[in-house]
Amino acid sequence: ADSAGRVHPEPPQPFRSPYQRDHDRIVHSAAFRRLAHKTQVFTGYQGDYHRSRLTHTLEVTGIARTLGRSLALNEDLVETLALAHDIGHPPLGHAGEDTLDELLADEGGFNHNAQALRIMELLETRYPDFPGLNLSREILDAQAARVKGRAAAAIRPATAPLLETQVVDAADSIAYDTHDADDAIELDFVTLEELLELPIVAEAARRTAERYGELAGTDRRRGVIHELVDMQVADLITTSRAEIVRLGIGSVDQVRAHAGAAGQASRLVAHSPAVSRGKAELERFLFQRVYRSDRVMTVRLAAQEKLTRLFRWYCDHPDAMPPRFRQRAGAVGARRSVADYIGGMTDRYLEWDHARRVC
């Protein structure tokens, strides 16, 4: 009821809230559908167990709904934000994003969160009355709050983000920490025994054994992964609820105005210090042993070379792009328009396009 509305005014619908309409616009977008064939972490690896951007998004959405309901937030808004949070990712995982960022270094770089805003406001063309999806301002503000790095200064609002936004960011962190670990075990990057050296994983294993007895093999791994998610979710709810009550936060205005000890906008949805330390240790382990492993880096470099060659080919042959990207090049420049086009590709389409254009 208190939504700030849309950039392009539209009459309300009698059967759906603004955020339910936004939910449907995201799900029906081409950018959302393409997440099914965009890599989460493990680019180029055979098998269909490890996560894609779409399955990661659905896992984030499930966790976020639980958090939102437990903290008495707007579940329609939470679910929509979660479904939309990764639509700006290019193909080839973080390797693709890093490559586009380097190729556009002189033109503001490439950031998947900023790209999601471009998709929401400009690139999706599904309605005759306006460019983009014309989502509610709360969705756009939430996405802007996710932008980091050099793109943030021009986009990011100064106020603290809504609790719904904070919940989705926390759910994203819980999902990728835990499920990247699961995928890494499945693909033989690490073993469960190595992960058990981390205190947060060891505690999850202890609770699993206490609940189910001594499990072995895949049953044990899945039990530990499930418990690791549950531990983080329960800790986040308990800690955040206590902080909201302690500070007497009772309105959206109070959330937006909340400032931490340094006088800057700060977040109310957070883990306890102990779980935060455990998550930081897990993330360092994954970075060293998985994300920057020789196996991943070898595949990553090959993927980056393909993307770079295709990017340069389109810069030399802009007329080969679809008409709307050719037309937009006059306003935003050829290189940015090429990045918009390639950024929307799936992994497999980029492979196919590279084979027919460059090879």
Side-chain angles (χ1 to χ4, degrees):
D2 294 331
S3 172
R6 304 174 189 274
V7 174
H8 306 280
E10 297 182 57
Q13 286 194 345
F15 307 116
R16 291 186 296 167
S17 75
Y19 309 132
Q20 286 176 305
R21 295 177 72 185
D22 293 337
H23 168 285
D24 294 346
R25 290 181 181 192
I26 291 295
V27 169
H28 287 270
S29 70
F32 183 81
R33 290 197 303 276
R34 290 176 182 139
L35 295 178
H37 300 289
K38 291 191 177 187
T39 304
Q40 173 72 5
V41 173
F42 299 100
T43 300
Y45 283 89
Q46 297 301 313
D48 54 10
Y49 180 86
H50 51 282
R51 274 78 177 173
S52 68
R53 285 281 167 205
L54 180 60
T55 56
H56 164 73
T57 294
L58 296 177
E59 289 169 344
V60 170
T61 302
I63 294 171
R65 271 201 310 265
T66 297
L67 296 172
R69 183 172 299 181
S70 298
L71 295 174
L73 304 181
N74 188 311
E75 289 184 53
D76 289 341
L77 179 53
V78 166
E79 184 170 15
T80 302
L81 292 174
L83 290 170
H85 87 279
D86 262 358
I87 63 170
H89 268 288
L92 308 179
H94 291 293
E97 180 172 13
D98 292 345
T99 302
L100 288 174
D101 190 42
E102 292 171 8
L103 291 168
L104 294 174
D106 296 333
E107 301 180 35
F110 184 96
N111 175 279
H112 75 270
N113 286 312
Q115 189 69 11
L117 272 180
R118 285 179 63 76
I119 290 169
M120 293 173 181
E121 297 180 307
L122 178 66
L123 298 179
E124 281 282 344
T125 53
R126 303 188 64 82
Y127 303 94
D129 298 335
F130 44 75
L133 298 174
N134 199 30
L135 302 175
S136 300
R137 292 180 186 272
E138 288 76 25
I139 305 292
L140 301 179
D141 288 348
Q143 188 58 40
R146 297 176 58 87
V147 178
K148 297 178 176 60
R150 54 186 158 187
I155 296 176
R156 193 170 185 176
T159 56
L162 294 172
L163 292 179
E164 287 82 357
T165 305
Q166 298 181 39
V167 155
V168 172
D169 288 346
D172 188 23
S173 175
I174 291 170
Y176 68 65
D177 282 355
T178 309
H179 298 144
D180 285 358
D182 185 33
D183 287 350
I185 296 172
E186 177 71 18
L187 292 170
D188 294 324
F189 280 83
V190 299
T191 65
L192 178 58
E193 285 65 34
E194 289 173 309
L195 280 166
L196 288 172
E197 296 177 9
L198 302 172
I200 193 171
V201 183
E203 175 61 16
R206 185 193 68 77
R207 296 188 186 192
T208 301
E210 188 176 77
R211 182 176 180 181
Y212 297 108
E214 290 301 324
L215 301 175
T218 301
D219 287 341
R220 187 183 187 211
R221 183 187 88 198
R222 289 176 177 166
V224 170
I225 293 298
H226 293 162
E227 187 60 41
L228 193 55
V229 172
D230 287 348
M231 282 171 49
Q232 294 175 78
V233 168
D235 177 82
L236 192 81
I237 292 169
T238 302
T239 305
S240 303
R241 183 184 289 154
E243 184 68 358
I244 291 167
V245 170
R246 183 184 72 83
L247 294 170
I249 301 294
S251 69
V252 170
D253 288 341
Q254 287 177 305
V255 171
R256 290 194 182 280
H258 177 66
Q264 300 174 331
S266 62
R267 300 202 167 207
L268 294 159
V269 177
H271 287 286
S272 67
V275 171
S276 294
R277 286 193 300 271
K279 282 174 60 62
E281 291 170 347
L282 175 57
E283 288 167 4
R284 285 194 296 270
F285 177 90
L286 291 172
F287 184 86
Q288 295 165 1
R289 293 294 307 279
V290 180
Y291 307 146
R292 288 297 180 266
S293 68
D294 290 342
R295 285 172 59 191
V296 167
M297 292 305 294
T298 298
V299 176
R300 175 189 172 99
L301 290 172
Q304 288 180 305
E305 288 175 7
K306 286 184 179 180
L307 193 153
T308 299
R309 288 196 292 266
L310 189 62
F311 178 90
R312 289 172 176 163
W313 189 91
Y314 274 113
C315 286
D316 292 335
H317 305 85
D319 289 345
M321 291 192 295
R324 62 192 181 95
F325 291 96
R326 294 200 304 267
Q327 295 162 5
R328 194 175 295 118
V332 301
R335 295 173 68 82
R336 177 62 66 182
S337 192
V338 169
D340 287 339
Y341 180 49
I342 291 180
M345 292 180 179
T346 62
D347 291 24
R348 64 185 184 181
Y349 187 89
L350 186 143
E351 290 278 350
W352 175 79
D353 205 34
H354 178 271
R356 69 170 180 151
R357 301 292 194 190
V358 181
C359 293

